[in-house]
Amino acid sequence: MIVLKGEAILTFENQTSVQLKEGDFINIPTHRKHRVSWSYPENETIWLAVHY
């Protein structure tokens, strides 16, 4: 997953959080549960997720 615009925080099942800003990317292993716990409220957040 790569953030193309905006900011977001992903929180994983074990409560670990990762903040992502524009241009940041993360490789999330298959079946690892996560959710978007926050995104920048004043601007849209756009990301690209590639499932492989």
Side-chain angles (χ1 to χ4, degrees), residues 8 12 14 21-23 27 30-31 36 43-46 49:
F12 294 90
N14 66 359
K21 296 182 179 183
E22 199 168 304
N27 184 30
T30 304
H31 304 296
V36 177
N43 292 328
E44 62 186 358
T45 300
I46 301 172

Side-chain angles (χ1 to χ4, degrees), residues 6-33:
E7 298 180 37
I9 295 177
L10 296 180
T11 302
F12 294 90
E13 188 173 38
N14 66 359
Q15 302 305 313
T16 302
S17 294
V18 176
Q19 182 174 6
L20 300 169
K21 296 182 179 183
E22 199 168 304
D24 290 344
F25 64 92
I26 186 170
N27 184 30
I28 302 171
T30 304
H31 304 296
R32 183 154 184 217
K33 292 185 179 183

